[in-house]
Amino acid sequence: MPTIPRYLRTAGLIGLVVSLALAVGYFNIRPSSFDTAPLVIDPLQPDFFMENTRILMLNQQGTPTYQLHSERATHQRDDDSTLLEQPNLLYYRLGEEHPWLLQAQQGTVTQGGEQVEMIDDVLLQRQDPSAPTARLTTQALTLYPERDYAETAQSVRIETAGSVTTATGMQVFLDDGRLELLSNVRGQHELQ
């Protein structure tokens, strides 16, 4: 029986060890192991956030509908809403030069921007320097930008030059500037 030269046996043994090492390496470091699984699977976790946010929403004609500034905006993946910290919203009515200012401590923009909910120290004020200024304050207000409409069921305080009016619940029709107070309306007027 012929004997296999030593160098062939050594080469065969090294080849077998290298093949075994490559096979073990492939199964330990295979391409699918580089697929990153999400670190957090909780649906209540936000998928992104932004600091010092500025959003400009345009209508179909390309003119501003509203301009939103927020210290922080956190997008919620589960319901596609965006939570806002210290939102400041300038709402432009079609055909008017001066916007309405809407501020609060907290806010939420729902999916598609159909609804903007403002919470805590809400201020609604028209930004027209030529018209008398009225300050409307409440603890919660919901704005529907596409309908030019805002409402609240909370207590409302309206301050104008020389008068203060309080009520529970309010509807604001921004398209024609009409305001309806719903109940418990009280007014205090100063004569000058």
Side-chain angles (χ1 to χ4, degrees), residues 109-124:
V109 178
T110 62
Q111 179 182 8
E114 297 169 5
Q115 184 175 317
V116 180
E117 297 176 11
M118 300 293 222
I119 304 165
D120 293 333
D121 300 327
V122 180
L123 167 69
L124 177 63

Side-chain angles (χ1 to χ4, degrees), residues 19-184:
S19 297
L20 184 62
L22 286 174
V24 169
Y26 175 77
F27 287 108
N28 284 335
I29 308 174
R30 59 189 174 277
S32 63
S33 69
F34 292 109
D35 293 341
T36 58
L39 298 176
V40 179
I41 305 173
D42 183 6
L44 299 177
Q45 283 288 347
D47 54 350
F48 68 88
F49 70 92
M50 300 175 281
E51 302 269 337
N52 197 20
T53 309
R54 295 187 191 282
I55 298 171
L56 179 63
M57 179 70 103
L58 303 175
N59 61 18
Q60 292 177 348
Q61 292 79 25
T63 59
T65 300
Y66 64 82
Q67 182 177 2
L68 175 66
H69 174 261
S70 178
E71 292 298 315
R72 182 180 176 99
T74 306
H75 186 262
Q76 298 299 120
R77 173 184 27 214
D78 62 335
D79 62 355
D80 196 24
S81 65
T82 304
L83 306 176
L84 307 170
E85 292 179 19
Q86 298 181 343
N88 182 328
L89 185 134
L90 290 173
Y91 179 74
Y92 297 90
R93 287 181 35 201
L94 191 61
E96 282 195 7
E97 182 179 348
H98 302 288
W100 288 74
L101 170 66
L102 183 56
Q103 290 178 328
Q105 292 299 313
Q106 303 291 324
T108 304
V109 178
T110 62
Q111 179 182 8
E114 297 169 5
Q115 184 175 317
V116 180
E117 297 176 11
M118 300 293 222
I119 304 165
D120 293 333
D121 300 327
V122 180
L123 167 69
L124 177 63
Q125 184 175 13
R126 189 155 176 213
Q127 299 295 294
D128 187 353
S130 64
T133 302
R135 290 176 48 92
L136 294 92
T137 55
T138 185
Q139 287 304 305
L141 183 77
T142 303
L143 172 68
Y144 301 90
E146 290 186 12
R147 294 174 29 202
D148 287 332
Y149 174 76
E151 67 182 8
T152 184
Q154 301 289 318
S155 298
V156 179
R157 180 178 176 93
I158 304 168
E159 300 174 42
T160 59
S163 71
V164 174
T165 304
T166 59
T168 302
M170 171 181 70
Q171 295 177 328
V172 182
F173 300 88
L174 297 167
D175 56 352
D176 62 4
R178 189 168 36 106
L179 171 77
E180 289 184 14
L181 301 174
L182 302 180
S183 65
N184 301 326

